[in-house]
Amino acid sequence: MEFSIKNGNPESQRGDCLVVGIFEGKKLSDAAKKLDDASNKAISTVLKTGDMEGKIGTTLVMHNIAMIAATRVMLVGLGKQGEFGEAQYRKVVRAAIKAMPKGVKSTGFYLAGLPIKKATAQSKVAALVEVVMDTTYQVNSIKLKKAEPVTLNKVTIYVEKSESAQAENGVKHGLAIAAGVSLAKDLGNLPPNVCTPTYLGDQAKKLAKSYGFKVEVLEQAEIKKLGMGSFLGVAQGSNEPPRLIVLQHNKGKKSQKPVALVGKGITFDTGGISLKPGADMDEMKYDMCGAASVLGTFKAIGELGLAINAVGIIPTCENMPSGNAIKPGDILTSMSGQTIEVLNTDAEGRLILCDALTYAERFEPSAVVDIATLTGACVIALGHHPSGLFSNQDALAKELLEAGEKAHDRAWHMPMWDDYQTQLDSNFADMANIGGRAGGSITAACFLSRFTKKYHWAHLDIAGTAWKSGKEKGGTGRPVPLLTTFLVNRAAGVK
Ligand code: BES
Ligand code: MN
Ligand code: ZN
């Protein structure tokens, strides 16, 4: 998709389609009014028929309007004027793209000029680009009958001349985030017989080559040398060898401490000996979406050449049952030296993350954020809208919450009080790997907190947000927008 920024009156713009907004109550936006005036009231005449009332997300396409240069005009409902905000704006852009007639190859949007509280020309243009890319995303499917390709290939975004420079910046940021989201979706959607730990390692190397990152992909023997007994415990049940991926983007000042992103990379979670039930088990191919979001975020900051130091750490393996697999009752020794009694082999995410979090210490990070499809309990607590956020530092939590709001990729702050810690007591080891049914996403975070005492840390449980089930099954690319925005803010010094 090609995006460009232009100025000028709507009536004189050529192209296959122009999108303008109508507020509820048949109230014309400024751009719609200009078209109406130039066309001897063609738009108000159509509105009088009652075919379009301006309800949010409704659309109506008009053809061959006299005195209008574009082939079509799409009216899109903006909803109530007083309620119009960024969420509505995104919904409207999505609806317009979905309703775009087949023959449209190029379209122009007169929506970024609509006033939205707290939004800037840059943020509105970036949001438009992100939504267009998200809506037109196609799975690279392995079907004999290929999906019809998207015909739309050119999008022009109209803004006031004075806002052109800001808008160009918006295109750049929007495209960077979209590229990261698209990579995270692609990796998540791949079948688990293709997207293995080795495959993720190769993808990290490819990414490093394109953007100049430093990359290391550690193999089993090196992981063992590091003493990662917990991570290797999970990996031992599988025939696929594990990998520890370490990416470094060093575009900040030499003296600046890096931000570390740690992503759970279970390329398939059967539950292990504590085997999961069969229904929907295929969705456990998405158990590497934390890893995918780290790679996606690195793609985005690579595209932007962002002036920051960042480290990506990805422990990746399969969780399988086999004669070599860990059993309930086994005790593992983590890299930190703390021992863990495995009471349920399906609580494997925390077992691979704890060693990666200990490994993160060597980078003396200013902050560490781990991202993991960690618990079904988080989905029960929060549903599919926000990711669960846990942190040992309120200022870091606030930064991430605000980045999520700004990026429309929200998180919700969950408690992580010491009161919960006793649920992890074990009679035989320093801790158990599960804490019972009550507050399952919180005790998982409490488990991780025992390995993150040396730095500011936050944990994003993305079990409810990383992919969609049912008819729309597919990766969402979340939380790449949140993470990228967080890093962009940090690079700009907005703490
Ligand atoms: N990957 C799962 C969490 C998960 C389950 C995410 C379903 C999204 C949908 C994780 O490894 C897991 O199995 N967690 C267990 C923990 C339990 C054994 C304490 C869970 O949530 O049931
Ligand atoms: Mn599991
Ligand atoms: Zn898992």
Side-chain angles (χ1 to χ4, degrees), residues 264 269 287 348 373:
K264 173 180 174 183
D269 182 10
D287 213 17
E348 86 298 339
T373 48

Side-chain angles (χ1 to χ4, degrees), residues 229-230 233 326-334 338-343 426-431:
S230 186
I326 46 168
K327 308 168 286 298
D330 280 3
I331 293 181
L332 303 173
T333 303
S334 67
Q338 299 178 93
T339 57
I340 304 158
E341 185 186 13
V342 179
L343 291 178
S426 158
N427 287 353
F428 306 106
D430 291 322
M431 69 195 86

